Amino acid sequence: MPSILLRPSRLLRTTVPDRLARTAGLILIAVFCLLVPIPLAAAPSPPGPTDGARTQLSRAAATMDKAKRLIESQRPDEALALLKPFVNLSPRPAQADQAYLLMAAAYRGMNQHAEAVAALNFFLSEFPTSPLLDRAKMLLATEHAALGHSDQALPLLAEIRSQTADVATKRDALLLTGDILAQKRDSHRAIQAWLEEMELAQPEQRSGTAARIQALIRDKLDRRALMQVRDTYPTSFPGDVALIRLIEWHTARGEDHLAERQLRLFLQRFPSHDYAAKAADLLNGLAAKLKSSQAVLVALLPLSGKLAPFGTEVLNGIQLALEKAKEVHGQTSVGLIVKDSAAPRGGLAQDLADTLEEYHPVAVIGPLLSKHLPVVAEVAARTDTPAITPSATAADVRRYGSWLFSTALTYSHQAKRLASYATEQLGYRRVSVLYPDTPYGRELAQLFSQELIQHGGEVIATESYKEGDTDFGQAIKRLKAQDLKKYGMTTPVVTSKGQKRDLYSPGFDAVFVPGRAMDITLLSPQLVFHDVKVPLLGTSSWNATPAPTVNEPALEGSVFVDGFFSESPDPAVQEFVDRYRQRFQASPTAFAAQAFDAAGVVLDALRKGATSGQAVREYLQTHPDLPTLGGPAHFDGSGTLVRRIFVIGIKGGRLVQIE
């Protein structure tokens, strides 16, 4: 008896993504997919068959064979005309399950996918024990994919994979699963499915799927997805393919410092790989290029571990400063070395010292954390190399060493700027403090209180709350109780419902809250509920993700300070924001902006003639008008950048720059 074996995903290995995107691809797949035969189960021989029964079986087989040949010869309409009367015979013929499967294939050949789905659903309900059940499910999943119903196709394919005992069918299901996931841009799960298929295949059958994974990595994945594949498969395929693609990516974009990191990682993870020799040659070439640069910068950042996202933002800012210097000022011979402060192989001090002694950079941008300042200060002094931290919030970096500088926004600078604006511009004299009981909250509460008093103000009440609280009622009541002992007042009133209560009138002008943005969103309406209807004052912690719900009426008129505001109308800031978004497809943070300034002042020193670390240090110490995003700035005696601090207000449900 002739046989037909529908194996839809064999052709779909290379066509499903196009098939889901282009109608032409749908027709092409529908035609060729049917050229592979599907076995028709041999009809069971009834006991003691009569001549009539044998004749009926023979005619049924001939009908199936003719329908199959009509479909293969691209005449599916004629096949349907043959099959429809056959399935309506009474009693139902033994080959009815085969007929319905062929009808679905014919509908598929006519690009009538909805009708094919109906035929296959009928098959599943009427023939649950058919030996063709798995093939019917596979074809149904393929039809759902053709209709764009991936959410129906994927569960069906998962069912096939878990229930079938046939390895070939399971492989087909995995291949089609990967196709659909790749089309949905879920590359991580697509690769997982294809790797599972490779494990089931014989060695000689794996090359096609491996090539499919390679093509996806090479042609479809962006940098973030490549890094995910690299880290998911650190020492196996396709982690090697992702690393090679990252090397090519960064090299093509002129990002030598990032290419160098990927090359070192590749040689560490794949020392015996066919690409290893080429990787070593590329690495040596980059080292030679760096040493021939007129100047070299070293970035010391956490690029692995939980702080890696912050390190990446800082690196983006440095990179943008270098690119702008090259484009605008023609500084084409400044190299960049990136060191991961989270994973030094020989200890942070030794690793940094080895790099500085080999390349003699003019400056180090880093570290990010205050705890690393003593180590960096010692190495910087020993090698005559200035180090500029873009984020460590230590108030006086010079206490660690005279070669340290900081472009970070310190707590003391925030407190001083906010107290000055509140008293001199807003006319506030009495302020209460409600702070989170954290090191950050306690220090800001103390610094702001000191600055407020120095500006002639008075702290009326100070209370804390536990960070993460959602009910601030008790802290607010304690704050009111302190105020009522000084300037606060209560007035008996009758509510609209006729109830008597005491209306509280605060004896202060504002409440200082150095809390997280999410805390501010919850706290502000609760203050109003307790009759504390005054503006709030805040710090850079407000300018975070997620931002406070600025359309909350209780926040109207509140202000906070920060060293960077991405919505600033200032041309320099907007140029930076536009460049950053175009370059990295994300909005810059204060970390990126402060790193941009750190690299920018070093590049300015080079433009003005500095050729060594000693010369750069002297320039930074003495120059009064260093270029920064906020305008001219200078370093004070503590090594901290004295720069413009933005005052940001909440007006009309929007964040707006006030000063």
Side-chain angles (χ1 to χ4, degrees):
M1 180 178 291
S3 64
I4 306 174
L5 179 57
L6 270 177
R7 306 189 72 119
S9 72
R10 288 295 181 227
L11 279 171
L12 292 173
R13 290 179 189 176
T14 56
T15 53
V16 161
D18 292 337
R19 182 170 178 271
L20 300 178
R22 296 192 300 269
T23 303
L26 295 173
I27 298 173
L28 189 62
I29 295 168
V31 171
F32 283 94
C33 181
L34 297 167
L35 296 180
V36 187
I38 271 185
L40 291 179
S45 299
T50 63
D51 289 344
R54 281 194 293 271
T55 300
Q56 183 180 8
L57 289 172
S58 178
R59 288 176 178 173
T63 299
M64 298 300 101
D65 184 54
K66 184 175 180 180
K68 176 241 181 196
R69 285 186 281 105
L70 286 170
I71 294 170
E72 289 182 335
S73 61
Q74 302 182 36
R75 295 154 66 191
D77 52 340
E78 296 179 39
L80 277 175
L82 184 67
L83 291 166
K84 284 182 177 180
F86 180 82
V87 298
N88 288 322
L89 292 175
S90 180
R92 176 180 286 172
Q95 296 89 345
D97 59 342
Q98 302 169 22
Y100 273 102
L101 197 58
L102 283 171
M103 285 178 63
Y107 280 126
R108 177 177 161 81
M110 298 169 67
N111 203 26
Q112 296 180 10
H113 299 288
E115 289 78 1
V117 167
L120 289 166
N121 280 328
F122 183 84
F123 179 104
L124 296 182
S125 65
E126 294 296 314
F127 309 106
T129 61
S130 169
L132 299 174
L133 185 65
D134 286 343
R135 284 294 138 197
K137 289 181 178 179
M138 277 299 305
L139 187 55
L140 179 58
T142 305
E143 292 306 298
H144 280 312
L147 290 168
H149 303 159
S150 60
D151 291 339
Q152 292 176 265
L154 288 172
L156 189 59
L157 290 168
E159 179 183 317
I160 295 169
R161 300 199 310 268
S162 65
Q163 295 180 359
T164 186
D166 180 59
V167 173
T169 300
K170 186 173 289 189
R171 287 179 58 207
D172 284 341
L174 286 165
L175 284 171
L176 183 54
T177 297
D179 288 335
I180 295 171
L181 290 171
Q183 182 65 19
K184 287 169 65 72
R185 298 176 184 252
D186 191 345
S187 57
H188 186 67
R189 291 174 60 206
I191 290 172
Q192 282 182 324
W194 289 331
L195 288 174
E196 288 181 42
E197 191 276 338
M198 289 178 65
E199 290 178 2
L200 295 174
Q202 297 298 317
E204 65 273 10
Q205 299 173 319
R206 296 172 184 166
S207 60
T209 307
R212 188 168 191 73
I213 294 172
Q214 290 173 326
L216 177 70
I217 291 173
R218 184 183 63 247
D219 301 332
K220 301 296 183 182
L221 301 195
D222 60 16
R223 186 170 71 95
R224 183 172 297 180
L226 288 170
M227 292 173 67
Q228 183 183 26
V229 175
R230 178 200 68 185
D231 296 337
T232 303
Y233 308 98
T235 58
S236 62
F237 175 83
D240 55 339
V241 180
L243 263 172
I244 292 171
R245 180 66 186 119
L246 280 167
I247 292 165
E248 296 170 345
W249 174 292
H250 294 308
T251 300
R253 295 164 71 92
E255 299 170 345
D256 292 351
H257 56 290
L258 296 177
E260 184 261 353
R261 282 182 47 76
Q262 304 304 330
L263 285 164
R264 290 190 184 279
L265 192 59
F266 186 92
L267 291 172
Q268 177 186 341
R269 294 181 176 180
F270 302 98
S272 303
H273 197 281
D274 291 344
Y275 187 80
K278 182 176 181 179
D281 288 342
L282 290 171
L283 194 59
N284 291 333
L286 289 177
K289 182 179 178 181
L290 271 173
K291 291 179 179 179
S292 66
S293 300
Q294 292 179 1
V296 173
L297 296 180
V298 170
L300 181 65
L301 314 169
L303 296 173
S304 58
K306 63 181 181 180
L307 295 178
F310 302 104
T312 299
E313 290 174 8
V314 170
L315 182 58
N316 289 347
I318 296 171
Q319 189 172 327
L320 210 61
L322 288 169
E323 291 173 1
K324 182 178 178 181
K326 181 179 179 180
E327 176 185 331
V328 177
H329 302 290
Q331 290 178 273
T332 59
S333 189
V334 180
L336 177 64
I337 300 172
V338 181
K339 305 297 294 183
D340 186 357
S341 61
R345 283 175 285 181
L348 180 61
Q350 189 59 51
D351 198 43
L352 179 60
D354 290 344
T355 301
L356 301 190
E357 290 169 4
E358 180 178 0
Y359 291 97
H360 305 290
V362 294
V364 173
I365 309 298
L368 260 63
L369 302 179
S370 295
K371 70 177 183 179
H372 291 149
L373 289 174
V375 171
V376 174
E378 189 276 326
V379 177
R382 178 153 42 94
T383 58
D384 292 348
T385 310
I388 309 173
T389 174
S391 61
T393 54
D396 182 4
V397 296
R398 286 291 169 78
R399 69 177 183 267
Y400 301 108
S402 61
W403 290 83
L404 293 187
F405 297 84
S406 173
T407 58
L409 179 65
T410 66
Y411 299 166
S412 59
H413 280 176
Q414 293 188 64
K416 184 175 295 187
R417 178 71 169 110
L418 185 61
S420 171
Y421 182 79
T423 55
E424 296 175 10
Q425 303 301 319
L426 298 177
Y428 296 164
R429 287 294 178 265
R430 299 171 181 171
V431 178
S432 286
V433 178
L434 186 58
Y435 65 93
D437 192 11
T438 62
Y440 176 86
R442 290 191 293 270
E443 184 170 355
L444 260 300
Q446 180 182 359
L447 289 170
F448 176 79
S449 297
Q450 292 171 351
E451 290 293 336
L452 183 70
I453 293 171
Q454 289 182 13
H455 283 79
E458 180 181 358
V459 178
I460 303 304
T462 300
E463 284 294 337
S464 67
Y465 62 87
K466 185 178 179 181
E467 190 170 72
D469 280 352
T470 57
D471 184 353
F472 302 91
Q474 293 304 313
I476 296 171
K477 289 176 182 178
R478 293 194 300 269
L479 198 76
K480 290 170 60 176
Q482 290 189 51
D483 179 38
L484 287 170
K485 295 177 182 178
K486 295 183 179 180
Y487 307 107
M489 299 176 60
T490 58
T491 305
V493 297
V494 179
T495 68
S496 59
K497 296 182 179 180
Q499 298 175 337
K500 295 180 179 181
R501 78 176 188 92
D502 291 334
L503 177 65
Y504 167 70
S505 299
F508 45 82
D509 303 307
V511 180
F512 173 59
V513 188
R516 302 176 303 175
M518 63 183 73
D519 295 339
I520 306 306
T521 298
L522 295 172
L523 173 62
S524 56
Q526 293 183 43
L527 285 166
V528 172
F529 177 80
H530 289 280
D531 295 330
V532 184
K533 300 178 181 179
V534 297
L536 305 186
L537 305 174
T539 60
S540 61
S541 58
W542 287 25
N543 196 21
T545 302
T549 306
V550 294
N551 61 355
E552 170 61 55
L555 283 173
E556 185 70 18
S558 297
V559 299
F560 64 95
V561 295
D562 201 351
F564 175 70
F565 180 46
S566 63
E567 301 304 317
S568 168
D570 291 10
V573 175
Q574 280 308 302
E575 180 192 6
F576 168 74
V577 171
D578 291 344
R579 280 178 175 268
Y580 193 98
R581 287 173 176 165
Q582 183 177 2
R583 183 69 172 80
F584 302 109
Q585 291 76 56
S587 294
T589 64
F591 287 104
Q594 289 162 187
F596 181 87
D597 283 344
V601 295
V602 174
L603 292 166
D604 185 59
L606 296 179
R607 286 196 296 273
K608 300 298 174 52
T611 58
S612 66
Q614 176 71 47
V616 169
R617 178 198 183 206
E618 292 176 0
Y619 184 86
L620 298 183
Q621 287 178 324
T622 59
H623 201 75
D625 296 315
L626 297 170
T628 70
L629 289 173
H634 68 277
F635 288 101
D636 63 17
S638 69
T640 303
L641 187 68
V642 179
R643 43 105 73 76
R644 178 185 183 187
I645 298 178
F646 295 93
V647 178
I648 303 157
I650 299 176
K651 292 186 177 181
R654 295 177 56 247
L655 293 179
V656 295
Q657 178 179 316
I658 298 175
E659 282 192 357

